[in-house]
């Protein structure tokens, strides 16, 4: 059922799940990691929903609206009717494979100045190496001031299977640890640390070369652990995934 030895952020990879349903464009997976399983796997406890689709990597733009609608419905369910939503775009905007959060941020329709009772507001804290300030410190300070009903945090993820790159949208209520995908762990963002519901939305955009070797080279000894692989057209993939995620979030408050 589970695999704790691979480097991945994807629940369908560290805790194998059967497909719940398939509508011809999107395959849906649900994973529930309870306290006992979280301890066993050394993974965050929570619920994980994965929407898998090849629409982006195959350039099927006609299906983007369908994926956006499905992802929006999923995020809305996790936010449980929250009216005041603060979106946080994590990552390094100057590093394409890590720029998903920034690209989503730039496509959001911000409405807090129009309706203080039902809105989307947003920020992108960049990374510690650029600002000298931990993402957690920025997010916690702004959240404490704004007092949203929910935080929707967007970030690029790491996958174990190369065929999941830009092909899976994961939503979870377990929160997220900035930098965990590249083993640069920062302080975790979740309900326990921030005092508000944290919904994480991510897409795998990188995979470790050691994971590829282990998976496809008959269990070859892990080498190049620090080498991260991403597709040559990652710039296009990031932009298209950002369009879908931003569209899904923009629909949360009817904009």
């Amino acid at each position: 059922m589970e695999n704790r030895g691979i480097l991945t952020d994807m629940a369908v990879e560290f805790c194998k799940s059967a497909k719940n349903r398939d509508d011809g464009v999107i395959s849906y997976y649900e994973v529930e990691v309870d306290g006992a399983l979280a301890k066993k796997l050394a993974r965050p406890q929570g619920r994980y929903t994965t929407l898998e689709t090849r629409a982006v990597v195959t350039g099927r733009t006609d299906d983007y609206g369908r994926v956006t609608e499905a992802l929006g419905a999923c995020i809305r369910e996790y936010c449980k009717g929250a009216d005041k939503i603060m979106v946080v775009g994590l990552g390094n905007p100057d590093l394409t494979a890590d720029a998903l959060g920034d690209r989503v941020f730039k496509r959001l329709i911000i409405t807090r100045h129009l309706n203080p009772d039902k809105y989307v507001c947003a920020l992108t804290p960049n990374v510690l190496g650029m600002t000298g300030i931990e993402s957690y410190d920025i997010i916690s300070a702004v959240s404490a001031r704004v007092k949203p009903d929910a935080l929707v945090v967007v970030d690029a993820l790491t996958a174990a299977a190369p065929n999941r790159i830009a092909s899976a949208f994961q939503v979870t209520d377990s929160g997220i640890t900035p930098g965990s995908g590249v083993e640069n762990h920062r302080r975790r963002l979740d309900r326990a640390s921030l005092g508000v519901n944290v919904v994480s939305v991510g897409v795998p955009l990188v995979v470790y070369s050691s994971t590829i070797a282990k998976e496809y080279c008959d269990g070859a000894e892990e080498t190049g652990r620090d080498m991260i692989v991403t597709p040559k057209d990652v710039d296009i993939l990031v932009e298209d995934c950002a369009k879908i995620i931003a569209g899904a979030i923009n629909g949360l408050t009817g904009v």
Side-chain angles (χ1 to χ4, degrees):
M1 177 182 179
E2 64 274 346
N3 189 336
R4 64 181 298 172
I6 58 176
L7 295 166
T8 180
D9 295 312
M10 303 301 296
V12 293
E13 293 176 334
F14 65 70
C15 184
K16 298 301 181 183
S17 169
K19 187 185 301 181
N20 295 95
R21 61 190 175 93
D22 189 326
D23 64 12
V25 174
I26 307 167
S27 297
Y28 298 81
Y29 300 83
E30 292 279 348
V31 171
E32 189 78 36
V33 179
D34 61 20
L37 190 56
K39 185 176 181 179
K40 181 178 181 181
L41 298 178
R43 302 283 186 171
Q45 181 177 343
R47 177 187 169 205
Y48 299 77
T49 301
T50 302
L51 283 62
E52 284 197 353
T53 176
R54 300 290 291 174
V56 174
V57 294
T58 57
R60 299 200 313 268
T61 55
D62 289 347
D63 289 330
Y64 285 13
R66 190 166 169 179
V67 178
T68 298
E69 184 178 344
L71 182 61
C74 182
I75 297 172
R76 187 177 298 109
E77 181 185 351
Y78 272 83
C79 288
K80 300 185 185 303
D83 290 327
K84 302 174 182 179
I85 296 171
M86 187 170 89
V87 183
V88 178
L90 294 178
N92 186 342
D94 297 320
L95 185 62
T96 305
D98 194 33
L100 180 65
D102 175 74
R103 301 297 191 271
V104 170
F105 168 79
K106 289 177 177 177
R107 293 179 178 275
L108 293 174
I109 299 174
I110 303 304
T111 58
R112 184 170 179 249
H113 58 298
L114 301 175
N115 184 351
D117 298 317
K118 187 174 184 179
Y119 61 76
V120 168
C121 64
L123 66 88
T124 177
N126 210 306
V127 292
L128 179 65
M130 296 292 291
T131 65
I133 306 172
E134 288 278 7
S135 296
Y136 171 83
D137 292 334
I138 297 172
I139 296 164
S140 61
V142 175
S143 177
R145 179 75 174 182
V146 173
K147 294 181 172 57
D149 299 326
L151 291 178
V152 176
V153 183
V154 182
D155 199 8
L157 305 176
T158 299
N163 62 6
R164 280 204 170 92
I165 290 180
S167 297
F169 295 82
Q170 178 174 273
V171 183
T172 177
D173 59 7
S174 67
I176 192 168
T177 303
S180 63
V182 291
E183 297 195 301
N184 182 28
H185 298 263
R186 316 311 304 178
R187 185 166 180 181
R188 188 163 183 79
L189 307 173
D190 55 19
R191 176 178 282 279
S193 65
L194 293 169
V196 64
N197 183 29
V198 177
V199 177
S200 170
V201 182
V203 177
L205 292 168
V206 299
V207 60
Y208 277 89
S209 59
S210 57
T211 303
I212 297 174
K214 186 175 181 180
E215 185 73 17
Y216 297 100
C217 299
D218 299 322
E221 182 179 352
E222 289 190 17
T223 58
R225 186 178 178 88
D226 292 331
M227 184 176 291
I228 297 173
V229 181
T230 195
K232 62 182 180 181
D233 58 345
V234 66
D235 54 338
I236 298 172
L237 299 177
V238 168
E239 288 294 339
D240 285 3
C241 288
K243 289 177 187 177
I244 291 171
I245 296 173
I249 294 172
N250 286 336
L252 294 180
T253 55
V255 295

